Amino acid sequence: GGAKPAGNIVAAAVTSPDHKTLVAAVKAAGLVDTLASKGPFTVFAPTDAAFAKLPAGTVETLLQPANRDTLASVLTYHVVAGKVSASDLIAKINASGGAATLTTVQGGTLTAKIIGGKVVIVDAKGGSATVVAADMMQSNGIIHVTDAVSIPG
């Protein structure tokens, strides 16, 4: 018995009004089953506005079937194995002297820092994404909503 946890990460994204692009991308990349699996995963989920900040045509290009592998690489770069809550992340940042390295499912790394009291995720190209909503607990992990798309190196 007990309270049933929230739906899985994919179900949460599907019901979010701010993650239509992310959901379309996850479907196009064939990652629905992966992200709905047991996990657990920590997902840094860029909003539609975050995707819209990319250069014109980027999203449309990534969504083409020919670019499925590239799209999957970009998406899995936003996923970290295990459950990393905001407090876990802040503790890691503080324990690492101000910057914590996260290894993504894609294989690359993201660097987490605290800037202006907010958790900021820096990608391999030096781009930064601020966590705008943290600790959205799901049955198979945690979603942290970000305001930018992180690009692997």
Side-chain angles (χ1 to χ4, degrees), residues 6-7 26 28 39 43-45 48 59 81 85 96 100 102 115-116 124 132 150:
V26 166
V43 178
F44 294 97
D48 293 342
V59 173
S85 69
S96 316
L102 299 169
I115 301 173
V132 293
S150 299

Side-chain angles (χ1 to χ4, degrees), residues 28-39:
L31 292 172
V32 171
D33 289 348
T34 303
L35 291 178
S37 70
K38 200 167 164 199

Side-chain angles (χ1 to χ4, degrees), residues 75-105:
L75 291 173
T76 53
Y77 188 59
H78 291 77
V79 182
V80 174
K83 282 191 179 180
V84 184
S85 69
S87 58
D88 293 338
L89 196 50
I90 291 165
K92 269 188 188 189
I93 292 167
N94 291 335
S96 316
T101 302
L102 299 169
T103 301
T104 68
V105 170

Side-chain angles (χ1 to χ4, degrees), residues 49-86:
F51 279 101
K53 283 194 219 172
L54 292 170
T58 304
V59 173
E60 292 75 8
T61 303
L62 283 171
L63 290 175
Q64 290 168 3
N67 297 317
R68 183 173 167 149
D69 290 349
T70 305
L71 179 61
S73 175
V74 170
L75 291 173
T76 53
Y77 188 59
H78 291 77
V79 182
V80 174
K83 282 191 179 180
V84 184
S85 69

